[in-house]
Amino acid sequence: VEEASEEMRAALQRFADGDRVGAYPVIEGLKRAQMAAREKAAEQRLRLARAGDVRQLATLALAMKDRGEKTSAEVMALWEEAQALDPGYHWGWVEMREVAMECGKLERARVAAEKALGTARGGREELVALSGLGDVLVAQGDLAGALEHFEASLEIAQKLAREGATNKVALDDWGVSLEKVGSVLVARGNLGRALGQFEASLRIRKILSRIDPANGHASRNLFVAFLKIGDVLAEQGDLPRALEN
């Protein structure tokens, strides 16, 4: 049962004291405002419930897409529907940005990436949003903008990894962030600085392989880290060291 507001209690007391004509319009106005607020809250709960249902469908459709049973466009349509119902859901924008890029819809991807950044609550959410926006900017040819976002993402990744040095997700994020910065630096011709980023990423990949030697993902990332270093060394003309990697 809702507790009557001070204004409502005063109006009811006026009514009880005999000023019914004066009190009734106040009571009616307050009651109708309460009814409207309840209806609005109920509509919002329904929208959020529907959004959750559509997100479940989008997740299932994503699994089907990975097996060739749904298209990226079908998955994107579901995420668009879900985010229209619940635009405050951060990870929905992340998913939508990824699938929009798969569809080649870079402007939609950029909007989704910016929404993801706007709904991020710091920490890993902000890291992923910055990195995702950087990916879109690379695809759009804005390497300077991409580098700025990747470096901001890297700063957060370093902080989170140092706070939880044995956290595999945090370490992996750190490695990915270093590689993204390095790749943009290569594209901009800054091979020396890029090599430093890739070597730092390699150190992290080695740690992850030691933590979980049976993890195929970690082994593959270690292999890729060696390749990236080798490519930069070859481009610098250091073929002996490139062959070592």
Side-chain angles (χ1 to χ4, degrees), residues 9 12 23 36 40 67-68 73 86 114 133 137 206 232 236:
R9 286 196 297 271
L12 289 170
K40 185 176 180 180
R67 293 164 176 79
D86 184 10
E114 289 170 348
L133 184 50
L137 293 171
K206 286 180 177 178
V232 173
Q236 288 179 324

Side-chain angles (χ1 to χ4, degrees), residues 55 58-59 75-83 89 92 95-96:
R55 282 197 293 269
T59 301
V75 177
M76 186 169 72
L78 287 167
W79 278 115
E80 286 179 331
E81 182 182 353
Q83 292 307 107
Y89 182 65
E95 295 286 354
M96 191 170 155

Side-chain angles (χ1 to χ4, degrees), residues 11 13-25:
Q13 187 61 53
R14 281 178 63 191
F15 191 93
D17 290 343
D19 185 10
R20 292 178 292 278
V21 173
Y24 181 84

Side-chain angles (χ1 to χ4, degrees), residues 148-229:
E148 179 183 344
H149 285 81
F150 286 151
E151 287 179 331
S153 177
L154 174 58
E155 185 176 342
I156 297 171
Q158 289 173 326
K159 179 177 181 293
L160 294 177
R162 286 166 178 160
E163 288 173 355
T166 59
N167 184 316
K168 289 186 286 186
V169 172
L171 287 171
D172 187 59
D173 285 341
W174 190 4
V176 169
S177 296
L178 285 163
E179 287 163 9
K180 287 188 176 185
V181 170
S183 294
V184 173
L185 290 170
V186 168
R188 301 187 78 193
N190 193 338
L191 298 181
R193 190 174 163 215
L195 182 60
Q197 302 296 306
F198 291 145
E199 287 174 339
S201 177
L202 177 61
R203 290 192 290 271
I204 292 167
R205 297 305 179 195
K206 286 180 177 178
I207 293 170
L208 283 167
S209 290
R210 286 197 297 270
I211 292 173
D212 191 1
N215 188 313
H217 178 71
S219 298
R220 179 188 173 281
N221 285 338
L222 180 61
F223 174 72
V224 169
F226 275 116
L227 280 181
K228 286 181 180 293
I229 291 172

Side-chain angles (χ1 to χ4, degrees), residues 24-62:
Y24 181 84
V26 177
I27 295 169
E28 182 180 22
L30 292 171
K31 280 294 181 185
R32 291 197 181 278
Q34 285 179 348
M35 289 158 54
R38 282 195 212 101
E39 288 170 4
K40 185 176 180 180
E43 288 173 4
Q44 178 66 4
R45 286 193 297 271
L46 179 59
R47 285 174 65 88
L48 294 178
R50 285 179 58 196
D53 290 339
V54 178
R55 282 197 293 269
Q56 288 183 347
L57 292 174
T59 301
L60 295 173
L62 184 61

